[in-house]
Amino acid sequence: MRRVYLDHSATTPVDPEVAALMMTYYTEKYGNPSSVHSFGREAKQALEEARKQVAELIGATPPEVTFTSGGTEADNLAILGAAEALRKKGKHLITSAIEHHAVLETCEYLAKNGFDLTVVPVNEEGILSVEDIRQAIRPDTILISVMHANNEVGSILPIAEIGKLAKEHGITFHVDAVQSLGKLPIDVNAMNVDLLTVSSHKIYGPKGVGALYVRKGVRVVPLVHGGGQEKKRRSGTENTPGIIGFGKACQIAGQRMAEDARHQTKLRDKLMHGILQRIDHVKVNGPIGAKRLPNNVNVSIEFVEGESLLLSLDMLGIAASSGSACTSGSLDPSHVLLAMGLVHEIAHGSLRFSLGRQNTEEEIDYVLEQLPKIAERLRMMSPLYDQAIHTQQAQ
Amino acid sequence: MYSEKVMDHFTNPRNVGEIVNPDGVGEVGNAKCGDIMRIYLDVEGDIIKDVKFKTFGCGAAVATSSMVTEMVKGKTLDEAMVISNAAVAEALGGLPPEKMHCSNLAADALHAAIVNYREKQEKKE
């Protein structure tokens, strides 16, 4: 059966060049980077090369990069580690309503354990106002954590402006850049970011690897204690093949960024406009144009439910995702869509397509050919659809 | 995630649609939680002669709606009243645990339709 993968915000395939390089460090250069002998030294050298490659993609220096087991651990290290380090200075944290759970849940955990938390709202495009952050700042605010780009609706947040504000007030600023790395230029100095989370498997690197940028002079208390690797910030023998793969993936992403963005923006707009043309009662979730990630399409198909859409697409080999409650294992649909003011039934009908390097126009044509039929079939079953049509006819 | 039988009923649902001037209609669920099921009945004597459904919801919601209509067509109202949500799920070869509560309401919709029919009958008498 034909298969079309449009879920790159969930994960990406590993670039073959990355996979080939990693293999060497599993089977030949398998030394422990902490060892003194030549096996250890060659691993250590490659590890430091990877650190340089990651640093380069975000405008940092290599010693400011700490490798972790992924984005979630990096978010935890940033938030828990900074809060613990700054506990004596204050107890107030600020974040946004559309953060990834790795940030939101961590902040909420702290709020249950003696810290105060302000969650700043977003507008209907999924973008927050810097003014709202300014007003949330208190004398005891120690940390602001805001994502660079949202994973569900692709909205790009005004990180540089928030960074400037945080710097003026002497507040540590953490940015979850998991979705923007390799897609948007990142410069931790120009953006005044103190802590920045990145992840490998969203940029054609392996799963189980991420990193936290920690600005020189900023302290985070470690979560994992042990042998003192990663300058005591993250103990445990380094996942050398994974880290080296991540480094290579960063290098490739840096080289391809402009080309990838051009290609994916073209497909994104083709898919989004195609859906709007072919299906009525469709709402675009998130901003349109330059404030949106180049690879994100998110629409709500009214009167139908997201999981039904996903199952139907999957039967035709098309992989997408949804903010419907039924795909999250809870009764509530996506917190991001609700924060943007969507009513529950529209949030339940949301559908996210996230594009990648290998997608083609022809694949988009296939989706545009199949999706209207799926929507039509599910709407014929839906009691909400005939209600809406009857109401319209009566008007 | 879903059994073959669930996927079969989701892909080829039985008795989708509505009955014009039905003898009974039942609806359960709400759009907030993501599932709405509506069942239409055509009753002759004490027998369910025809039954149709319309459902907004996930794969399990569609499949249970389809299954319940298949289970009760030709049955008496009393027989239909004792069919439970659990029996519908069992007839589908089981549902994932997280779906048992939120999307397994088809028997409730059927019972609501029967109650609606009986209320209408009482008014006539």
Side-chain angles (χ1 to χ4, degrees), chain A residues 84-105:
Chain A
E84 180 65 30
L86 296 166
R87 187 183 270 279
K88 285 198 183 111
K89 199 180 151 208
K91 57 167 189 174
H92 182 234
L93 318 165
I94 299 173
T95 191
S96 89
I98 59 165
E99 295 304 306
H100 189 274
H101 287 298
V103 167
L104 268 186
E105 294 292 318

Side-chain angles (χ1 to χ4, degrees), chain A residues 193-257:
Chain A
V193 173
D194 299 310
L195 302 161
L196 185 108
T197 295
V198 291
S199 169
S200 155
H201 75 111
K202 313 284 192 193
I203 64 156
Y204 307 87
K207 292 169 184 61
V209 190
L212 181 67
Y213 157 80
V214 183
R215 176 177 295 282
K216 190 169 186 286
V218 171
R219 200 166 80 87
V220 289
V221 174
L223 307 177
V224 182
H225 304 270
Q229 287 88 346
E230 296 295 290
K231 294 204 292 178
K232 295 194 178 160
R233 284 211 179 103
R234 206 279 186 181
S235 287
T237 298
E238 299 86 345
N239 172 6
T240 324
I243 289 168
I244 289 161
F246 183 23
K248 188 74 192 167
C250 283
Q251 187 194 41
I252 297 170
Q255 288 161 354
R256 296 186 51 131
M257 197 183 303

Side-chain angles (χ1 to χ4, degrees), chain A residues 307 311 325-331, chain B residues 1-7 10 35 58-64 85-86 88-105:
Chain A
E307 192 209 77
L311 286 175
C326 296
T327 62
S328 71
S330 80
L331 284 177
Chain B
M1 181 168 112
Y2 287 131
S3 70
E4 251 176 62
K5 220 162 183 178
V6 171
M7 286 310 289
F10 173 72
D35 288 308
C58 64
V62 172
T64 51
N85 288 330
V88 177
E90 202 185 306
L92 283 166
L95 288 175
E98 70 274 14
K99 297 285 181 185
M100 286 302 282
H101 295 292
C102 63
S103 309
N104 186 21
L105 303 166

Side-chain angles (χ1 to χ4, degrees), chain B residues 14-20 22 24-26 37-42 48-55 65-66 68-70 72-73 109-110 113:
Chain B
R14 284 52 147 181
N15 307 305
V16 181
E18 50 192 294
I19 294 173
V20 187
V25 184
M37 301 177 187
R38 192 189 295 161
I39 290 204
Y40 302 86
L41 293 178
D42 196 352
I48 297 175
K49 207 182 127 207
D50 199 9
V51 49
K52 297 244 187 257
F53 82 88
K54 284 221 164 176
T55 288
S65 306
S66 166
V68 84
T69 62
E70 203 173 62
V72 300
K73 215 178 206 177
L110 170 74

Side-chain angles (χ1 to χ4, degrees), chain A residues 288-315:
Chain A
I288 290 173
K291 284 185 204 160
R292 189 179 198 105
L293 280 178
N295 77 326
N296 175 288
V297 173
N298 190 314
V299 292
S300 280
I301 300 186
E302 290 186 51
F303 321 119
V304 299
E305 189 278 325
E307 192 209 77
S308 284
L309 286 166
L310 292 188
L311 286 175
S312 306
L313 286 166
D314 185 45
M315 283 189 287

